[in-house]
Amino acid sequence: MRLTTRDFDRTGRPLRFTELGFGSSPLGNLYRAISDEEAQALLERAWAGGIRYFDTAPLYGYGLAEERLGRFLAGHPRADYVLSTKVGRLLRPVEPGEARDGLGKFFEVPERKERFDYGYDGVMRSLEASLDRLGLDRVDVLYAHDLDLFTHGSQEALDARLAEFMAGGYRALVELRDQGVISAFGAGVNEWQPCQWLAERGEFDLFLLAGRYTLLEQEALETFLPLAEERGIGIVIGGPYNSGVLATGPKPGSFYDYRLAPQVVLDRVAQIHTICERWGVRMFEAAFQFPLRHPAVLSVIPGPQSVGEVMENRIAADAELPPGLWEDLKVAGLLRPDAPV
């Protein structure tokens, strides 16, 4: 089964992204543990469904996702897929008497601690460790991970990390790209504002933006996405369902932005859901398809937790939606008037 692809060539080393990609945080036992066999089944179904872009990170299961993904990809020709991972965190084994990181979030994962390091040496060491866990000799894309307020907690702390990165890690990524070790680099973050800050200060190829350009949120259209389009910067969209609420619908207990969805979000989702039903469209299909309408977007990468979710994402990727749906969402004030549809 072939998926629609989008070609990206900003550096002279072209990459072909499938419009549906694979976000691998569930392979790191995010929120619940899955077995190696379940992880393998997820990846086999994704590959059979035509997915050829895979994204991972050291954070996901403290190396477990990279290890599982690498074992699977080792059985496929390296030229047949695009692979990205992330830098900015270094992992180490716990000391005697120490508790591992990620308790209550990642389950049954290696006993490791994380340390932020956005410096030159930190980026180089992070890539080396990721390649070792993946068991591969290269990745295509590196993203500086979590340079955002959500992760670092205050503007002061974020500013310090951004300065550390631009003084060191950015230089390392430029060298890796110029030497052909990687084909492209950027940042993978939870907010569009750091993406714009970085794009205005460096030569970035790609940004992975999680949860900030969706049916629920389009503020990135104000300045960041026009800047990306103008400069030929590619955008990968993570979290298209805003942590689940755009897939599950406005049900009590639905998640938004990694937390229980507040009532104001549930009310807005209910409005979107009603309009989708009126057009005979399942809301998760509209949520997946919407970001792809923007010309800068290369791929949308949900993080499926089951084979069933892989299959639903595949259905969403193929869905043909009526143009009137988008117009009704705009008339209702649920989509910005300038949102490309």
Side-chain angles (χ1 to χ4, degrees), residues 23-34 36 55-69 71 85-86 89-94 100-114 133 145-146:
S24 70
S25 57
L27 300 183
N29 291 354
L30 178 65
Y31 302 134
R32 71 179 185 94
I34 64 173
D36 286 346
D55 175 69
T56 190
L59 173 65
Y60 303 157
Y62 299 93
L64 180 61
E66 287 184 320
E67 292 164 4
R68 285 172 161 173
L69 181 58
R71 284 197 296 270
T85 191
K86 304 184 182 78
R89 285 179 171 89
L90 296 175
L91 305 178
R92 65 166 178 83
V94 298
R100 70 166 176 86
D101 284 335
L103 293 169
K105 184 175 181 181
F106 293 100
F107 294 84
E108 297 179 23
V109 298
E111 297 285 314
R112 291 168 177 157
K113 301 280 285 184
E114 66 176 88
R133 287 187 292 267
H145 201 190
D146 286 343

Side-chain angles (χ1 to χ4, degrees), residues 141-212:
V141 180
L142 282 177
Y143 297 114
H145 201 190
D146 286 343
L147 283 164
D148 50 45
L149 278 171
F150 181 86
T151 301
H152 296 291
S154 71
Q155 191 62 53
E156 182 181 13
L158 173 58
D159 288 346
R161 291 300 185 183
L162 287 167
E164 176 191 8
F165 172 69
M166 291 305 294
Y170 173 77
R171 182 164 49 90
L173 291 172
V174 170
E175 286 185 14
L176 290 168
R177 182 184 62 191
D178 290 351
Q179 294 166 4
V181 177
I182 58 175
S183 295
F185 74 82
V189 297
N190 295 287
E191 296 138 17
W192 63 266
Q193 293 89 340
C195 297
Q196 179 158 333
W197 188 95
L198 290 165
E200 291 172 344
R201 289 162 177 80
E203 285 297 321
F204 292 82
D205 306 305
L206 298 159
F207 288 101
L208 197 172
L209 182 61
R212 300 286 83 82

Side-chain angles (χ1 to χ4, degrees), residues 259-315:
R259 302 179 180 88
L260 285 174
Q263 191 60 47
V264 65
V265 169
L266 293 176
D267 292 344
R268 191 172 180 88
V269 171
Q271 292 179 273
I272 297 170
H273 188 264
T274 297
I275 292 174
C276 287
E277 280 195 323
R278 186 186 308 155
W279 284 94
V281 170
R282 290 182 290 182
M283 186 171 61
F284 79 90
E285 295 175 343
F288 178 85
Q289 289 279 341
F290 168 69
L292 288 167
R293 265 55 183 180
H294 196 284
V297 172
L298 298 167
S299 184
V300 176
I301 57 166
Q305 294 189 314
S306 67
V307 167
E309 288 186 10
V310 174
M311 296 173 69
E312 286 194 335
N313 290 332
R314 186 64 176 83
I315 291 168

Side-chain angles (χ1 to χ4, degrees), residues 5-46:
T5 58
R6 299 192 177 188
D7 292 337
F8 179 75
D9 185 5
R10 195 172 185 269
T11 65
R13 288 181 289 277
L15 298 171
R16 176 162 291 175
F17 291 82
T18 45
E19 288 186 347
L20 170 60
F22 188 96
S24 70
S25 57
L27 300 183
N29 291 354
L30 178 65
Y31 302 134
R32 71 179 185 94
I34 64 173
S35 67
D36 286 346
E37 292 74 21
E38 289 174 290
Q40 180 76 7
L42 276 176
L43 289 164
E44 286 177 353
R45 174 57 65 176

